[in-house]
Amino acid sequence: MSPEDPARHREGARPLTAARVLDVDHLLEDPQTRIVVCCGSGGVGKTTTAAALGLRAAERGRKVVVLTIDPARRLAQSMGIDSLDNTPRRVKGVDDAAGGELHAMMLDMKRTFDEIVESHADPERAAAILGNPFYQSLSAGFAGTQEYMAMEKLGQLRAKDEWDLIVVDTPPSRSALDFLDAPKRLGSFLDGKLIRVLLAPAKVGGRAGMKFLNVGMSMMTGVLGKVLGGQFLKDVQTFVAAMDSMFGGFRTRADATYKLLQAPGTAFLVVAAPERDALREAAYFVQRLAAEDMPLAGLVLNRVHGSGADRLSAERALAAAENLEDPRIVDQDDGKAGVRTSPGNSPETDGSSGSADPEPGDPSPDTTGEAPADTPERSVDALAAGLLRLHAERMHLLAREQRTRDRFTARHPEVAVTEVAALPGDVHDLAGLRDIGARLATGRPELPEPGA
């Protein structure tokens, strides 16, 4: 083994060896796989990953719909669609030689809630609910509504059985697994004590109901009326009365979708970057999915850095940069250090040369042994030293990413991993998504250029 090998293994990025490699193509081509859920912390590339998986599956014969909850509309742009809405749209430009199709949609949270009301209430009651101010606030921004509606839309898509693969890009919420908790939270809200108390007068009915309201709720409504406003409390009571027959349906559908996520045909992919915080979140997702009996397919390690010059370690690169920046720290070719001696020992000052003083305009003698700072040689040396220092920083980054990956795989050896390289810019078209899909499938961050 050559002397530089240990340094290379310390500083360079190694291919995945300790971790199991995720076979993405097998996952996508398996007809038993009906739902792929991409989850992870914010900003790690979930939307791009979901789109790339959907495109790759479609070009391998699957009829795919990608459901995104990302409001940035990057998915629409990358697929060449002007805009996405609550209705799946066919993506053009997909290679359909294998018989596949790709559709994409973006969740419209309020529209999905409206559809639920319209489909589960008669027209008169639906109009009353949709026009209720409290409902309008609830459907537009109640905590957990977006995540719950994502679950609702997933359930609707699966129930239609129109697509044989659904790829879900999870909401950009504080926790990437909030969508798992949302049905329970909304169900708890709908089944909560406040809702039951507000429903009680309507259920009791007539004078008895009014008597109950006046006696049993006088203190509570008085306080709430002062805090929230009397009109707001009235809107809430009207909403609850109108929605009473639908509350059970919310819980039933939520439970059904939750079980769908636990079914064998579902696969979760945790998306993360090779950074400490992102992989710490990924470890939490892995543990949480296991606790919820959700089927985990593996980890997508996104934005991994690499180098084709990893044989040159950071230490050697820095040493070479220092030599270029200060050549006096090494001897000259003849092994003598005379050019590095003090000015008093130089030929120009020891009186032995007998040379005349330089004529005006002649270049001054060089007493350092170095090329002047503004010569082409020094400019090239300075540029090379800068590049060497950049390389050293790159090697340190690769080593840090490798240590972070090693810690994750050591703690979770059961999790299969695939890697995707850090690209210089955002993916903005189908060709870019196709390239990401190829990298996902090979598990190699870097791919050779076409024809190489």
Side-chain angles (χ1 to χ4, degrees):
M1 178 177 291
S2 59
E4 70 269 16
D5 282 339
R8 178 167 68 91
H9 285 296
R10 281 198 309 274
E11 301 297 343
R14 293 169 291 173
L16 284 170
T17 54
R20 295 171 48 215
V21 177
L22 175 63
D23 189 344
V24 170
D25 280 347
H26 176 74
L27 176 70
L28 297 179
E29 294 172 0
D30 185 357
Q32 300 301 316
T33 303
R34 302 299 302 274
I35 298 173
V36 173
V37 181
C38 297
C39 58
S41 55
V44 295
K46 294 192 302 294
T47 300
T48 302
T49 299
L53 290 169
L55 175 60
R56 191 168 182 85
E59 294 187 333
R60 276 156 178 73
R62 306 295 299 275
K63 189 175 181 181
V64 187
V65 60
V66 177
L67 168 63
T68 182
I69 300 92
D70 185 356
R73 303 185 185 276
R74 289 173 299 174
L75 179 62
Q77 295 169 358
S78 65
M79 292 185 171
I81 300 175
D82 293 335
S83 64
L84 293 177
D85 54 25
N86 223 34
T87 303
R89 295 176 180 270
R90 179 81 177 264
V91 178
K92 299 178 181 179
V94 176
D95 183 359
D96 58 0
E101 295 179 10
L102 179 61
H103 301 251
M105 62 182 296
M106 185 174 71
L107 177 73
D108 184 330
M109 177 178 65
K110 189 178 187 312
R111 184 59 208 149
T112 301
F113 211 151
D114 292 350
E115 290 172 355
I116 296 171
V117 172
E118 291 167 349
S119 61
H120 292 87
D122 60 75
E124 183 178 353
R125 177 171 290 192
I129 294 172
L130 296 178
N132 183 276
F134 178 74
Y135 167 79
Q136 293 173 359
S137 298
L138 176 70
S139 60
F142 185 78
T145 303
Q146 184 185 47
E147 290 81 2
Y148 178 85
M149 291 305 147
M151 297 279 281
E152 280 276 356
K153 182 56 67 175
L154 173 60
Q156 291 175 12
L157 292 172
R158 186 66 183 87
K160 288 182 179 179
D161 206 27
E162 186 175 347
W163 296 273
D164 56 32
L165 179 62
I166 304 169
V167 182
V168 182
D169 166 34
T170 55
S173 51
R174 178 186 57 83
S175 170
L177 293 182
D178 276 354
F179 74 101
L180 292 178
D181 297 323
K184 295 179 182 178
R185 287 203 306 270
L186 190 58
S188 297
F189 167 74
L190 297 177
D191 291 341
K193 292 181 180 179
L194 175 61
I195 296 297
R196 290 200 300 270
V197 171
L198 292 175
L199 274 173
K203 287 188 174 181
V204 173
R207 293 181 179 180
M210 292 303 297
K211 183 177 180 180
F212 176 87
L213 176 63
N214 291 334
V215 176
M217 297 183 63
S218 58
M219 292 184 62
M220 185 191 75
T221 55
V223 173
L224 289 176
K226 290 179 180 179
V227 175
L228 304 175
Q231 183 59 46
F232 178 81
L233 183 59
K234 183 178 180 180
D235 291 339
V236 173
Q237 290 174 318
T238 303
F239 164 77
V240 169
M243 290 281 288
D244 180 28
S245 62
M246 297 178 59
F247 287 161
F250 278 98
R251 173 58 64 88
T252 300
R253 289 192 303 276
D255 290 344
T257 305
Y258 196 80
K259 291 179 180 178
L260 181 64
L261 292 174
Q262 295 175 317
T266 300
F268 281 81
L269 288 175
V270 177
V271 184
E275 301 166 0
R276 183 178 59 182
D277 291 343
L279 279 175
R280 184 183 294 120
E281 285 287 301
Y284 162 73
F285 301 149
V286 168
Q287 294 166 359
R288 175 70 192 281
L289 289 170
E292 300 284 346
D293 291 327
M294 301 290 177
L296 174 64
L299 170 73
V300 174
L301 201 56
N302 205 7
R303 299 171 185 165
V304 175
H305 292 88
S307 173
D310 59 356
R311 291 180 63 86
L312 177 60
S313 69
E315 289 86 354
R316 295 183 66 199
L318 289 174
E322 292 172 359
N323 288 344
L324 288 170
E325 291 169 338
D326 189 1
R328 289 174 297 176
I329 66 175
V330 295
D331 288 337
Q332 302 302 311
D333 292 340
D334 58 3
K336 297 180 181 180
V339 294
R340 297 185 290 113
T341 57
S342 63
N345 294 329
S346 65
E348 291 78 11
T349 59
D350 64 3
S352 61
S353 66
S355 61
D357 292 335
E359 294 293 332
D362 289 347
S364 60
D366 181 8
T367 60
T368 64
E370 296 182 49
D374 58 349
T375 62
E377 292 82 357
R378 293 303 300 145
S379 298
V380 171
D381 287 351
L383 177 60
L387 292 174
L388 285 166
R389 289 189 179 279
L390 286 175
H391 176 76
E393 292 178 6
R394 181 80 165 192
M395 290 300 99
H396 285 144
L397 173 63
L398 267 58
R400 185 167 61 251
E401 289 184 355
Q402 186 64 55
R403 289 193 298 270
T404 306
R405 282 178 282 177
D406 288 345
R407 283 196 294 269
F408 178 88
T409 53
R411 294 173 182 173
H412 301 282
E414 77 285 358
V415 178
V417 183
T418 188
E419 296 186 354
V420 180
L423 302 178
D426 292 335
V427 174
H428 57 274
D429 55 19
L430 288 180
L433 291 176
R434 202 171 281 119
D435 178 57
I436 294 292
R439 296 171 190 271
L440 283 165
T442 60
R444 294 169 52 198
E446 307 290 348
L447 290 181
E449 295 296 328

